[in-house]
Amino acid sequence: MENSILKETEAKTVRENEDNILEVRGLKKYFPIRGGFFNTVVGQVKAIDGVSFSIKRGSTMGLVGESGCGKTTTGRTILRLSGEKTAGDVLFNGKEVYNIPKSELNELRTKMQIIFQDPFSSLSPRLPVGEIIGEAVKEHHLVPKEEYEDYIDRIMDNCGLQPFHKGRYPHEFSGGQRQRICIARALALNPEFVVCDEPVSALDVSIQAQIINLLKDLQEKYKLTYLFISHDLSVVEHIADTVGVMYLGNLVEFGNTEDIFANPLHPYTKALFSAIPIPDPEAKMNRIILEGSIPSPANPPEGCKFHTRCSQCMEICKSKVPEEKDMGNGHKVCCHLYDDGAVKN
Ligand code: SF4
């Protein structure tokens, strides 16, 4: 009897792991600070300091936080774009991304793509759009030569671009169209997972909605999984299924979008969310203003890293790092105010 329960639990864990396209466990990325006469390492910038989360296949995880909290570095480290990681695991489809042999790395690169914040600087000004989108398709021999032109036309069409614009250059397009080109370039490689790094923050509000809707349509059509990095919480609420809140290199809160927006628990999340504008002129905003600025990741505070700015700081917060508490329904928070499943008395 006991054995069958054990087997059932193991099978459930395997099924859950198969459901997750990406698992990040205890990921750390430190950048050395060099100085002195011999240019030796004199310190470390702890850009990511032990981040863990997983993303279900076909879903979107939003990653939010102030500038400099480590969101972009997390995205880039997952994709192996920031050199070697310092510690932890990044499992993509169950395989450790940093242990994949060189022969399989090319295939992995096609499966994991990124869309950058600034569409203009991420596009080569010397190449026509058709070549920008198709460059990597040719490099990876993704489609036979005779089907290549049709393939690029189809991708452009799916991303709301006119195929006859293939011969034009990036400067001939508007900001929104340039972001569509970046999306088409990523999509042309038939990826499974896309890191969207602030993909709409450089665009006008009206264009933002178009790009967000395009990303959602493409996700449904191609069964894509997104890690959506943004400081715009309204956009994240609209697109994400789960949300992670980062502060100074750590994930301080994680949960379903509905739970996080309806019931933020961490004092930092509460302060962030209190700044979301309410579209009602009668409504009163209870804005929580955070004191001071974000501390340096090269010299983070002891204990809870947020204690220097937290209005609910207790003595324990100054010396003990809070553990992750499970508040139910996958809602997790790192704060001494909570016990598993409850607020402390
Ligand atoms: Fe504030 Fe303490 Fe919670 Fe940190 S652990 S967020 S300092 S109450």
Side-chain angles (χ1 to χ4, degrees):
M1 178 70 178
E2 216 169 83
N3 260 354
S4 73
I5 292 173
L6 243 152
K7 274 182 188 163
E8 223 171 80
T9 319
E10 275 171 16
K12 195 176 166 228
T13 316
V14 170
R15 274 202 306 277
E16 275 173 6
N17 288 348
E18 280 172 359
D19 261 8
N20 293 335
I21 191 167
L22 186 83
E23 282 183 48
V24 176
R25 297 181 194 149
L27 185 63
K28 292 185 183 180
K29 176 69 191 173
Y30 296 171
F31 294 97
I33 304 168
R34 293 182 181 276
F37 188 71
F38 294 106
N39 202 25
T40 48
V41 177
V42 292
Q44 305 272 3
V45 173
K46 296 176 178 174
I48 319 174
D49 201 13
V51 165
S52 303
F53 60 83
S54 53
I55 309 182
K56 283 213 158 55
R57 205 174 293 281
S59 72
T60 300
M61 175 181 158
L63 198 55
V64 302
E66 285 167 294
S67 296
C69 69
K71 310 183 292 282
T72 294
T73 310
T74 302
R76 295 180 69 94
T77 307
I78 287 169
L79 299 182
R80 273 183 77 161
L81 293 177
S82 292
E84 281 301 309
K85 63 185 177 180
T86 305
D89 302 316
V90 181
L91 303 177
F92 178 68
N93 283 328
K95 281 188 184 172
E96 169 55 74
V97 168
Y98 282 79
N99 284 348
I100 283 182
K102 269 197 175 158
S103 55
E104 290 176 35
L105 199 57
N106 265 353
E107 199 195 336
L108 179 84
R109 292 255 178 256
T110 64
K111 297 284 170 224
M112 302 172 92
Q113 286 294 303
I114 184 165
I115 299 166
F116 295 100
Q117 174 178 6
D118 181 358
F120 198 48
S121 59
S122 67
L123 297 172
S124 167
R126 291 193 194 88
L127 288 180
V129 164
E131 275 188 47
I132 289 175
I133 296 171
E135 203 180 13
V137 177
K138 279 186 194 158
E139 183 70 32
H140 292 281
H141 308 291
L142 286 184
V143 286
K145 251 186 187 169
E146 59 280 12
E147 291 172 25
Y148 173 78
E149 293 298 332
D150 283 347
Y151 181 74
I152 300 300
D153 288 357
R154 209 167 54 241
I155 294 286
M156 288 182 75
D157 191 39
N158 284 342
C159 294
L161 294 161
Q162 304 289 344
F164 64 84
H165 286 162
K166 265 193 293 193
R168 295 194 182 172
Y169 289 83
H171 71 268
E172 296 176 71
F173 293 86
S174 68
Q177 283 175 316
R178 282 200 285 262
Q179 196 55 293
R180 285 175 191 271
I181 297 167
C182 293
I183 294 171
R185 177 177 58 183
L187 211 69
L189 295 175
N190 197 17
E192 292 177 21
F193 172 68
V194 184
V195 173
C196 306
D197 187 4
E198 305 261 14
V200 294
S201 51
L203 306 175
D204 290 345
V205 177
S206 58
I207 310 294
Q208 284 186 4
Q210 290 176 17
I211 298 296
I212 293 295
N213 288 338
L214 173 66
L215 286 171
K216 285 182 101 172
D217 290 348
L218 294 173
Q219 178 171 44
E220 212 175 298
K221 192 165 184 175
Y222 295 99
K223 308 282 171 256
L224 296 169
T225 307
Y226 294 140
L227 174 64
F228 195 91
I229 297 167
S230 180
H231 63 266
D232 188 333
L233 297 167
S234 316
V235 171
V236 169
E237 186 178 15
H238 186 65
I239 196 169
D241 301 293
T242 54
V243 177
V245 183
M246 275 191 89
Y247 184 77
L248 215 56
N250 291 104
L251 213 55
V252 295
E253 190 163 357
F254 178 86
N256 294 332
T257 307
E258 264 178 35
D259 290 345
I260 293 256
F261 277 82
N263 183 27
L265 298 174
H266 196 280
Y268 177 63
T269 316
K270 286 181 184 173
L272 269 190
F273 285 20
S274 74
I276 303 175
I278 305 167
D280 177 359
E282 306 290 317
K284 194 170 175 292
M285 277 184 68
N286 291 320
R287 180 102 194 253
I288 303 169
I289 308 286
L290 286 177
E291 299 287 323
S293 54
I294 191 163
S296 164
N299 187 21
E302 294 283 307
C304 170
K305 287 182 183 174
F306 187 57
H307 86 254
T308 51
R309 304 170 78 193
C310 181
S311 58
Q312 289 167 277
C313 177
M314 302 168 285
E315 216 34 56
I316 187 175
C317 307
K318 296 176 187 168
S319 55
K320 193 170 176 225
V321 177
E323 284 169 15
E324 186 180 88
K325 309 284 162 52
D326 192 338
M327 307 302 287
N329 199 25
H331 194 163
K332 294 171 182 168
V333 62
C334 295
C335 175
H336 289 304
L337 291 172
Y338 303 94
D339 274 332
D340 272 338
V343 183
K344 264 187 192 167
N345 287 323

